Amino acid sequence: MQVRDCLISAPGKAILHGEHAVVHGKVALAVSLNLRTYLQLKASSDGKVSIKLPNIDTFVCWELSELKQLNSCLSGKKEEGQCLDPELVKRLREFMGVTNENLDSSTTATLAFLYIYLSLFGSGEMPSLTVCVWSELPTGAGLGSSAAYSVCLAAAVLCASGAVPTPLKEWEQTAGWCQEDLELINSWAFQAEKIVHGNPSGVDNAVGTWGGMLRFLAGKIIPLSRVPLLRILLTNTKVPRSTKVLVARVKDKINKFPSILIPVLDSVDAISCTCEKVLNEMTCEPIKGEHYNILEELIDINQHHLNVMGVGHPSLDTLCQVTAARGLHSKLTGAGGGGCGITLLRPGAAQ
């Protein structure tokens, strides 16, 4: 099988509002970052499939003969791309000797790769290839590093399998896909995200696929074309945490205190919608101090809500306190529990 070499990149993301609430059917606003993950796929003739992830010190190689043993009952997977195949995931975990106790970022990234590779090549000829992924995004910081990886992975393997075309012409340095191809890439990236995070919202992989600023609600993605330029200070607390654990924690709290937490989710939804309205106003009329007053208040309210959900952290509290002492407003972005925070900077704010 002829596989064409390719180099693909996808951006990270920051959530402005709606993290965690989006998992439960509420609106989220997310924006892509100028920090990217890169994937290089190269065909090889050594009869092996290799993946190299230098950022997390992961280098794994399999003989094609090993992977062909996992090749049964995979016909028709190309057209699906919507629902995770639990039987395949189970077989891959057994193949890799994975248990819940050793399920770290290296293991889940490798599982995601094998899942996409076998799903898309399992019903036909399985090519020998090498995939190398590197990133400008820190892992476990709430900036969508796993989603950017998943998008790159899905796009590269879909291209290699012929499911989507390779859009790059010889005279071009960069190129993108049509809407239909992007939707297919996004659907497979979402499957990889499920392997990594368990019950992701789909926001991160959508931003990684389409870029820009997006409104996300119950799986429906609406790109926001009219958005003002906002200056955001991004702070990495460097406190590691697990998105899967934090998402499960919020779900447990909602199940335990539904009459308390459901109104909190509704309030977060209203915050996202109000923020979107203000941002739209800022593109239709002269930007005023009152616009920023509202955006800052929304940040403060949302941060309090996120603490109520149980996803705050002392490091994030410190960020909010330090920036508040300078008249600035901050909140966590992403899953919380550490990771990154964002601070809104007004025009003309000192560096």
Side-chain angles (χ1 to χ4, degrees):
M1 180 179 185
Q2 185 67 31
V3 173
R4 184 175 176 181
D5 296 352
C6 62
L7 176 64
I8 292 169
S9 74
K13 69 88 182 65
I15 300 287
L16 294 182
H17 293 292
E19 45 270 276
H20 288 289
V22 70
V23 178
H24 302 278
K26 307 302 180 182
V27 173
L29 299 179
V31 62
S32 61
L33 300 173
N34 192 24
L35 297 170
R36 305 182 75 86
T37 290
Y38 300 86
L39 182 151
Q40 185 177 52
L41 184 149
K42 286 190 172 184
S44 63
S45 57
D46 58 3
K48 297 180 180 179
V49 174
S50 305
I51 184 165
K52 303 176 182 180
L53 309 172
N55 286 66
I56 54 175
D57 297 320
T58 299
F59 306 91
V60 190
C61 183
W62 304 272
E63 298 287 342
L64 271 178
S65 57
E66 293 181 88
L67 299 183
K68 287 176 180 178
Q69 295 176 13
L70 300 169
N71 193 18
S72 60
C73 304
L74 294 178
S75 60
K77 291 293 187 297
K78 266 189 189 181
E79 287 73 36
E80 293 175 13
Q82 298 297 324
C83 299
L84 198 66
D85 181 352
E87 183 59 31
L88 177 55
V89 174
K90 179 182 176 182
R91 297 205 330 265
L92 289 175
R93 287 173 67 115
E94 292 171 352
F95 173 71
M96 292 179 57
V98 174
T99 65
N100 290 335
E101 285 69 35
N102 64 359
L103 200 61
D104 56 13
S105 60
S106 172
T107 304
T108 54
T110 306
L111 272 173
F113 167 72
L114 282 177
Y115 182 89
I116 298 295
Y117 177 87
L118 288 173
S119 293
L120 291 172
F121 287 118
S123 59
E125 183 180 351
M126 298 170 67
S128 176
L129 51 82
T130 297
V131 167
C132 182
V133 185
W134 65 100
S135 185
E136 299 166 340
L137 295 159
T139 58
L143 301 183
S145 60
S146 68
Y149 166 75
S150 297
V151 171
C152 286
L153 190 62
V157 181
L158 284 165
C159 272
S161 70
V164 299
T166 302
L168 190 67
K169 305 298 187 295
E170 289 185 5
W171 60 87
E172 295 176 326
Q173 290 186 326
T174 61
W177 288 273
C178 68
Q179 182 69 13
E180 183 179 355
D181 292 336
L182 288 172
E183 288 174 357
L184 183 61
I185 291 168
N186 186 57
S187 69
W188 281 103
F190 190 37
Q191 303 317 305
E193 275 285 87
K194 288 179 181 178
I195 293 174
V196 175
H197 290 310
N199 184 33
S201 65
V203 172
D204 291 16
N205 49 278
V207 176
T209 301
W210 277 277
M213 186 171 179
L214 302 176
R215 182 185 197 266
F216 190 94
L217 174 62
K220 187 176 181 180
I221 303 156
I222 301 177
L224 303 180
S225 57
R226 295 174 59 84
V227 182
L229 179 64
L230 296 178
R231 295 177 63 206
I232 299 288
L233 174 65
L234 193 63
T235 302
N236 187 357
T237 68
K238 297 188 177 179
V239 175
R241 79 287 183 281
S242 165
T243 297
K244 182 183 290 187
V245 169
L246 289 160
V247 169
R249 180 188 299 174
V250 173
K251 182 179 179 180
D252 289 343
K253 186 165 283 195
I254 292 169
N255 290 335
K256 187 175 182 180
F257 304 110
S259 62
I260 298 172
L261 268 295
I262 290 175
V264 173
L265 298 178
D266 290 338
S267 181
V268 172
D269 185 74
I271 289 170
S272 297
C273 293
T274 303
C275 179
E276 181 182 359
K277 179 183 177 183
V278 172
L279 292 176
N280 184 60
E281 289 176 358
M282 292 170 72
T283 65
C284 299
E285 59 187 63
I287 296 176
K288 304 172 185 176
E290 182 59 23
H291 289 132
Y292 276 91
N293 291 340
I294 296 172
L295 293 178
E296 290 168 346
E297 285 190 74
L298 294 176
I299 285 174
D300 293 341
I301 297 169
N302 199 357
Q303 178 61 20
H304 288 306
H305 285 341
L306 290 161
N307 281 328
V308 169
M309 292 183 206
V311 295
H313 189 273
S315 62
L316 294 164
D317 294 338
T318 299
L319 169 64
C320 293
Q321 292 162 6
V322 169
T323 54
R326 290 159 177 78
L328 303 173
H329 300 257
S330 304
K331 64 177 285 291
L332 67 83
T333 183
C340 284
I342 56 173
T343 304
L344 178 64
L345 302 177
R346 291 194 179 214
Q351 296 293 326

